[in-house]
Amino acid sequence: MKLNKKSNYYLDNVFIHLAVWIIVFGLPLFLTERGQGVSWSHFWRSASVMLAFLIVFYINYLYLIDRFLYKQKTKEFIIINLLLIIVMASLMYLTHDYVMALNLDGRPRGRRRRYTSIPYVFIARNVFSLALIVGLSVAIKMSARWSKLESERKELEKERTEAELKNLKSQINPHFLLNTLNNIYALIEFNPPKAQTAVEELSKLLRHLLYDNNETYIPLVSEVEFMRNYIELMRIRLSKNVELSTNLDIAPASSTLIAPLIYISLIENAFKHGISGNKDSFIDIQLKERPNGVIEFVCKNSAFPKSESDKSGSGIGLNQVKRRLELLYHDRYTWSQNLEEADGKSVFTSHLTINTKQN
């Protein structure tokens, strides 16, 4: 694919150069006075000038700029161009005088200005014109090089971002599985039947991780189904003092795409820090898809600070969420996390809004 793009770029470039020079060389044919016919003498004089411009342009464009200017040999580049310009300006003078002497139009010679006595004025004018052509070739070459370097930089940045996203997702999987297996382990000790059901639910989650998580974006419908399965898995081990409510509101035929596992760490955090073994607790998870492609996620839970011995891995998932949001959505998301007191209880709220439509 890259080879095709590269070959197409060079073909387009060659076509543009040919088209421009054909127009430039043919222009004198269209500038003759009305009723005078084609002035071949004028055409060949102009063509000789354009040919000199073309030679100087491409000697610089195809060789001198790469060989000297790009290698920081500016002094050599200037000297060679000065010699080239002087030689070409002299040849332009001789060609001009020769074409005038041929009298290709067959018109009465009459008196005409001859540059033989003042060749330096004619040559100086050509030197100035050729110097402009050198500057033009440098400007075009530099612009093309800058464009190529910028394109390569963006490609490298894209590859780096994709590699970082892949690495982040590979970190999320073990982190997520570790928390889930810890929950199942706790169930095995006091309720083996529930643990067996949890293993079945875990198999559904693993199917999502294995097949859907490899993509940068997946259907929101699939991600919501994964979230429901995970919540049901966590519900198995909840005690009666925990109130769990969910409302995942999306259209059944929704075509919206979302980054996989972008919400799961927030839900994990709620189950990890929002449940107490002997105090009334709650977790409220809301997700709503709006018609304009905006997805609003709000997760509220009672907050019970963990002891130092129970903080292993705390915050890892949230840091990964923030980094993935920056890479994938950058200026298209808002995320706030607040801890506040309500009715004598600590309530933690995580509010994430993502605009899935790219500008």
Side-chain angles (χ1 to χ4, degrees), residues 315-329:
I316 294 176
L318 297 184
N319 290 334
Q320 291 169 338
V321 169
K322 183 174 179 59
R323 184 55 184 158
R324 291 182 69 207
L325 286 170
E326 280 296 315
L327 291 172
L328 293 171
Y329 297 103

PDB file of all heavy atoms in Angstrom, residues 315-329:
ATOM      1  N   GLY A 315      -5.514   2.829  41.452  1.00  0.00           N
ATOM      2  CA  GLY A 315      -5.224   3.955  40.567  1.00  0.00           C
ATOM      3  C   GLY A 315      -4.601   3.575  39.244  1.00  0.00           C
ATOM      4  O   GLY A 315      -4.528   4.399  38.344  1.00  0.00           O
ATOM      5  N   ILE A 316      -4.146   2.334  39.101  1.00  0.00           N
ATOM      6  CA  ILE A 316      -3.501   1.929  37.847  1.00  0.00           C
ATOM      7  C   ILE A 316      -4.480   2.033  36.687  1.00  0.00           C
ATOM      8  O   ILE A 316      -4.190   2.613  35.646  1.00  0.00           O
ATOM      9  CB  ILE A 316      -2.939   0.496  37.952  1.00  0.00           C
ATOM     10  CG1 ILE A 316      -1.798   0.454  38.966  1.00  0.00           C
ATOM     11  CG2 ILE A 316      -2.459   0.007  36.604  1.00  0.00           C
ATOM     12  CD1 ILE A 316      -1.246  -0.929  39.203  1.00  0.00           C
ATOM     13  N   GLY A 317      -5.690   1.454  36.890  1.00  0.00           N
ATOM     14  CA  GLY A 317      -6.683   1.461  35.829  1.00  0.00           C
ATOM     15  C   GLY A 317      -7.120   2.866  35.463  1.00  0.00           C
ATOM     16  O   GLY A 317      -7.303   3.174  34.286  1.00  0.00           O
ATOM     17  N   LEU A 318      -7.284   3.749  36.449  1.00  0.00           N
ATOM     18  CA  LEU A 318      -7.724   5.115  36.195  1.00  0.00           C
ATOM     19  C   LEU A 318      -6.667   5.897  35.423  1.00  0.00           C
ATOM     20  O   LEU A 318      -7.002   6.703  34.545  1.00  0.00           O
ATOM     21  CB  LEU A 318      -8.053   5.822  37.514  1.00  0.00           C
ATOM     22  CG  LEU A 318      -9.212   5.220  38.328  1.00  0.00           C
ATOM     23  CD1 LEU A 318      -9.491   6.064  39.559  1.00  0.00           C
ATOM     24  CD2 LEU A 318     -10.470   5.102  37.470  1.00  0.00           C
ATOM     25  N   ASN A 319      -5.404   5.683  35.739  1.00  0.00           N
ATOM     26  CA  ASN A 319      -4.334   6.348  34.994  1.00  0.00           C
ATOM     27  C   ASN A 319      -4.325   5.903  33.534  1.00  0.00           C
ATOM     28  O   ASN A 319      -4.084   6.699  32.623  1.00  0.00           O
ATOM     29  CB  ASN A 319      -2.975   6.052  35.635  1.00  0.00           C
ATOM     30  CG  ASN A 319      -2.808   6.739  36.967  1.00  0.00           C
ATOM     31  OD1 ASN A 319      -3.434   7.776  37.226  1.00  0.00           O
ATOM     32  ND2 ASN A 319      -1.985   6.182  37.836  1.00  0.00           N
ATOM     33  N   GLN A 320      -4.594   4.626  33.308  1.00  0.00           N
ATOM     34  CA  GLN A 320      -4.649   4.119  31.942  1.00  0.00           C
ATOM     35  C   GLN A 320      -5.835   4.704  31.181  1.00  0.00           C
ATOM     36  O   GLN A 320      -5.736   5.013  29.992  1.00  0.00           O
ATOM     37  CB  GLN A 320      -4.731   2.591  31.962  1.00  0.00           C
ATOM     38  CG  GLN A 320      -3.453   1.924  32.438  1.00  0.00           C
ATOM     39  CD  GLN A 320      -3.655   0.438  32.690  1.00  0.00           C
ATOM     40  OE1 GLN A 320      -4.776  -0.009  32.894  1.00  0.00           O
ATOM     41  NE2 GLN A 320      -2.578  -0.317  32.685  1.00  0.00           N
ATOM     42  N   VAL A 321      -6.967   4.857  31.869  1.00  0.00           N
ATOM     43  CA  VAL A 321      -8.141   5.460  31.252  1.00  0.00           C
ATOM     44  C   VAL A 321      -7.827   6.885  30.794  1.00  0.00           C
ATOM     45  O   VAL A 321      -8.143   7.280  29.663  1.00  0.00           O
ATOM     46  CB  VAL A 321      -9.336   5.479  32.230  1.00  0.00           C
ATOM     47  CG1 VAL A 321     -10.477   6.339  31.677  1.00  0.00           C
ATOM     48  CG2 VAL A 321      -9.844   4.073  32.468  1.00  0.00           C
ATOM     49  N   LYS A 322      -7.207   7.662  31.659  1.00  0.00           N
ATOM     50  CA  LYS A 322      -6.880   9.047  31.320  1.00  0.00           C
ATOM     51  C   LYS A 322      -5.951   9.118  30.122  1.00  0.00           C
ATOM     52  O   LYS A 322      -6.143   9.937  29.210  1.00  0.00           O
ATOM     53  CB  LYS A 322      -6.223   9.744  32.520  1.00  0.00           C
ATOM     54  CG  LYS A 322      -5.918  11.216  32.271  1.00  0.00           C
ATOM     55  CD  LYS A 322      -5.417  11.898  33.519  1.00  0.00           C
ATOM     56  CE  LYS A 322      -5.093  13.361  33.245  1.00  0.00           C
ATOM     57  NZ  LYS A 322      -6.259  14.122  32.748  1.00  0.00           N
ATOM     58  N   ARG A 323      -4.932   8.243  30.087  1.00  0.00           N
ATOM     59  CA  ARG A 323      -3.983   8.274  28.977  1.00  0.00           C
ATOM     60  C   ARG A 323      -4.665   7.864  27.664  1.00  0.00           C
ATOM     61  O   ARG A 323      -4.437   8.474  26.621  1.00  0.00           O
ATOM     62  CB  ARG A 323      -2.807   7.334  29.276  1.00  0.00           C
ATOM     63  CG  ARG A 323      -1.711   7.352  28.218  1.00  0.00           C
ATOM     64  CD  ARG A 323      -1.204   8.744  27.981  1.00  0.00           C
ATOM     65  NE  ARG A 323      -0.233   8.795  26.916  1.00  0.00           N
ATOM     66  CZ  ARG A 323       0.057   9.890  26.228  1.00  0.00           C
ATOM     67  NH1 ARG A 323      -0.581  11.016  26.487  1.00  0.00           N
ATOM     68  NH2 ARG A 323       0.970   9.865  25.266  1.00  0.00           N
ATOM     69  N   ARG A 324      -5.513   6.858  27.710  1.00  0.00           N
ATOM     70  CA  ARG A 324      -6.220   6.423  26.499  1.00  0.00           C
ATOM     71  C   ARG A 324      -7.190   7.496  26.013  1.00  0.00           C
ATOM     72  O   ARG A 324      -7.339   7.707  24.801  1.00  0.00           O
ATOM     73  CB  ARG A 324      -6.968   5.124  26.763  1.00  0.00           C
ATOM     74  CG  ARG A 324      -6.051   3.919  26.976  1.00  0.00           C
ATOM     75  CD  ARG A 324      -6.863   2.661  27.183  1.00  0.00           C
ATOM     76  NE  ARG A 324      -7.534   2.268  25.953  1.00  0.00           N
ATOM     77  CZ  ARG A 324      -8.659   1.576  25.914  1.00  0.00           C
ATOM     78  NH1 ARG A 324      -9.265   1.226  27.034  1.00  0.00           N
ATOM     79  NH2 ARG A 324      -9.193   1.229  24.762  1.00  0.00           N
ATOM     80  N   LEU A 325      -7.848   8.178  26.932  1.00  0.00           N
ATOM     81  CA  LEU A 325      -8.735   9.272  26.544  1.00  0.00           C
ATOM     82  C   LEU A 325      -7.960  10.373  25.833  1.00  0.00           C
ATOM     83  O   LEU A 325      -8.417  10.928  24.828  1.00  0.00           O
ATOM     84  CB  LEU A 325      -9.453   9.837  27.773  1.00  0.00           C
ATOM     85  CG  LEU A 325     -10.570   8.974  28.366  1.00  0.00           C
ATOM     86  CD1 LEU A 325     -11.018   9.529  29.707  1.00  0.00           C
ATOM     87  CD2 LEU A 325     -11.756   8.875  27.411  1.00  0.00           C
ATOM     88  N   GLU A 326      -6.783  10.693  26.337  1.00  0.00           N
ATOM     89  CA  GLU A 326      -5.949  11.725  25.714  1.00  0.00           C
ATOM     90  C   GLU A 326      -5.523  11.318  24.310  1.00  0.00           C
ATOM     91  O   GLU A 326      -5.512  12.128  23.388  1.00  0.00           O
ATOM     92  CB  GLU A 326      -4.717  12.000  26.578  1.00  0.00           C
ATOM     93  CG  GLU A 326      -4.974  12.916  27.753  1.00  0.00           C
ATOM     94  CD  GLU A 326      -5.381  14.307  27.302  1.00  0.00           C
ATOM     95  OE1 GLU A 326      -4.750  14.849  26.377  1.00  0.00           O
ATOM     96  OE2 GLU A 326      -6.349  14.848  27.861  1.00  0.00           O
ATOM     97  N   LEU A 327      -5.171  10.047  24.141  1.00  0.00           N
ATOM     98  CA  LEU A 327      -4.691   9.580  22.845  1.00  0.00           C
ATOM     99  C   LEU A 327      -5.809   9.444  21.825  1.00  0.00           C
ATOM    100  O   LEU A 327      -5.626   9.768  20.646  1.00  0.00           O
ATOM    101  CB  LEU A 327      -3.980   8.228  23.011  1.00  0.00           C
ATOM    102  CG  LEU A 327      -2.640   8.252  23.764  1.00  0.00           C
ATOM    103  CD1 LEU A 327      -2.160   6.829  24.015  1.00  0.00           C
ATOM    104  CD2 LEU A 327      -1.591   9.037  22.986  1.00  0.00           C
ATOM    105  N   LEU A 328      -6.972   8.976  22.271  1.00  0.00           N
ATOM    106  CA  LEU A 328      -8.052   8.662  21.330  1.00  0.00           C
ATOM    107  C   LEU A 328      -9.049   9.797  21.132  1.00  0.00           C
ATOM    108  O   LEU A 328      -9.593   9.967  20.035  1.00  0.00           O
ATOM    109  CB  LEU A 328      -8.799   7.410  21.795  1.00  0.00           C
ATOM    110  CG  LEU A 328      -8.012   6.105  21.752  1.00  0.00           C
ATOM    111  CD1 LEU A 328      -8.790   4.997  22.435  1.00  0.00           C
ATOM    112  CD2 LEU A 328      -7.693   5.713  20.316  1.00  0.00           C
ATOM    113  N   TYR A 329      -9.282  10.579  22.186  1.00  0.00           N
ATOM    114  CA  TYR A 329     -10.326  11.594  22.099  1.00  0.00           C
ATOM    115  C   TYR A 329      -9.815  13.008  22.375  1.00  0.00           C
ATOM    116  O   TYR A 329     -10.517  13.970  22.097  1.00  0.00           O
ATOM    117  CB  TYR A 329     -11.472  11.251  23.073  1.00  0.00           C
ATOM    118  CG  TYR A 329     -12.155   9.944  22.736  1.00  0.00           C
ATOM    119  CD1 TYR A 329     -11.900   8.788  23.470  1.00  0.00           C
ATOM    120  CD2 TYR A 329     -13.028   9.854  21.661  1.00  0.00           C
ATOM    121  CE1 TYR A 329     -12.509   7.585  23.149  1.00  0.00           C
ATOM    122  CE2 TYR A 329     -13.644   8.653  21.335  1.00  0.00           C
ATOM    123  CZ  TYR A 329     -13.384   7.523  22.084  1.00  0.00           C
ATOM    124  OH  TYR A 329     -13.988   6.321  21.762  1.00  0.00           O
TER     125      TYR A 329
END
